[in-house]
Amino acid sequence: MTRELSGALDYRTARACHECDLLQQIPDLKNGEIARCQRCGALLKRVHKNSLDRSLAFAITGLILFLVANLFPLISLKALGIAQHGNLISATIALFDADMPFLGMLMLFTTILFPLFSLLGTIYVLLNIRMGRLTPAIAPLFRFLRSTDAWGMLEIFLLALIVAAVKLVDLTEVITGISLYAFILLIITLATLSLTLNPDDVWDHLRKPKS
Amino acid sequence: MMTAREAGLISCHFCHNLNRLPSGQLPSEQDKAELTCYVCGSVIHSRIPQSLSKTWALVIAAMILYIPANVLPIMTVVMWGDGRPDNIMSGVMSLLHADMWPLALIVFLASIVIPIAKLLTLLGLLISVHFRSTWRPRERTQLYRATEFIGRWSMIDIFVIGILVALVQFGNAATVTPGMGALSFAAVVILTMIAAHTFDPRLIWDAIEESPNV
Ligand SMILES: [Zn+2]
Ligand SMILES: [Zn+2]
């Protein structure tokens, strides 16, 4: 895909690599194709059909699963006749109670607030684009969602839950809770959502009316 | 081969729109006036302002905090009044003794290998950019990309502690309390995540464009 760039570069379809700044023309991509930087290999662009509609469906599914995952315990322990139930929010509360407000905040933001806000925000953005209402809030909101994407850490929490269960299984009886299944489905849904949602498609909608 | 900066353009970090620099303004003058992308309104800059000094500060702070993170207990398990402090390495060993070597391996990678590799990578990148190295820019960019992608998984140990503290509350029989090591380790993970974000990989390539051999 190397071409003579300096002469006939069309700035409307050209892109600068965000990792090495090289300007390059992006060829017309077919569905499912991706373009990589010819110099450093960074992902420049990908194309998915109906990315926004499918993402909206996944985001709504994710929101429902997130609510269900918060309703019931994920995991329970039984020892000495006492049962301890652990919800998604339990770790946050426990860390605040243990005088670790910084860790409590970290837990609150990475496992509750960022994931919830990300789902709500994504639904808001996609719904409005679908209905053709380009409100001024969309661009800053979507920018915020993109820049906080790495701070929602539910999939890491699931792995931590498994590690914790293994550490406890010798000491007490570990019982999986009802919400655990919703939580696992939530992780799968979120992973699918991040693969499906192509940010370029959102920005393209914001670009259209101006040019 | 031309970069956006050479062409007088600034690519928006979010929407990838190419913004033309205001006429008469030199690329080096950018960070004095704040420019915004005309598509999405985001603040744009050809290179992240003060990328190197910010990243240096964050990496040094993370390296200092890495010591208490490994020396101080990350949590204390109290059973029948008998307290047993755990640090990062003993957490891995206990999984290994439970014959859970796949999990032990994951925790070992996430809590020990990744933080060290990440700090060394960032340090190496900072030094190579400082000396305007032209050595293997593509591989260095790939290393940066991997660092940025994988760093957040180090948070797993913090979450395990949070879950154990929440669940293991059986009065006198058994309780788990978080330790200062956990606080330091969480700070290391957060600082290195921000450091990866403030480092601008385009600086790796600027040295190539400026070197006379190319
Ligand atoms: Zn590139
Ligand atoms: Zn933009």
Side-chain angles (χ1 to χ4, degrees), chain B residues 51 68 91 93 100 106 137 156-157 164 172 203:
Chain B
S51 167
M93 295 311 284
M100 287 291 172
I106 290 172
I156 185 168
D157 238 12
L164 290 179
N172 291 331
L203 297 173

Side-chain angles (χ1 to χ4, degrees), chain A residues 11 19-21 23 39-40 42 80 84 100 102 110 143 150 152 155-156 160 166-167 203 207 210, chain B residues 2-5 9 14-15 17 20 40 42 47 91 100 138 145 152 167 169 173 183 201-202 205 209:
Chain A
Y11 291 124
E19 285 180 17
C20 77
D21 210 30
L23 274 176
R39 184 161 77 161
C40 79
L80 310 161
Q84 282 282 353
M100 285 284 186
F102 176 78
T110 53
R143 224 158 54 216
E155 75 280 28
I156 302 174
V166 165
K167 279 178 184 261
W203 297 123
R207 201 186 314 257
K210 295 188 178 178
Chain B
M2 183 166 46
T3 65
R5 187 167 71 165
L9 300 165
F14 290 98
C15 72
N17 182 57
R20 191 166 287 285
C40 74
S42 140
R47 301 291 178 271
M100 287 291 172
R138 195 182 165 99
R145 211 174 293 147
R152 52 205 282 282
L167 285 174
Q169 296 300 340
L183 191 61
R202 291 170 294 198
W205 296 88
E209 276 128 34

Side-chain angles (χ1 to χ4, degrees), chain B residues 8-21:
Chain B
L9 300 165
I10 302 179
S11 169
C12 173
H13 176 71
F14 290 98
C15 72
H16 307 290
N17 182 57
L18 288 169
N19 297 273
R20 191 166 287 285
L21 271 167

Side-chain angles (χ1 to χ4, degrees), chain A residues 17-22 24 37-42 44, chain B residues 205:
Chain A
C17 173
H18 54 275
E19 285 180 17
C20 77
D21 210 30
L22 185 74
Q24 44 210 302
C37 173
Q38 52 183 301
R39 184 161 77 161
C40 79
L44 288 180
Chain B
W205 296 88

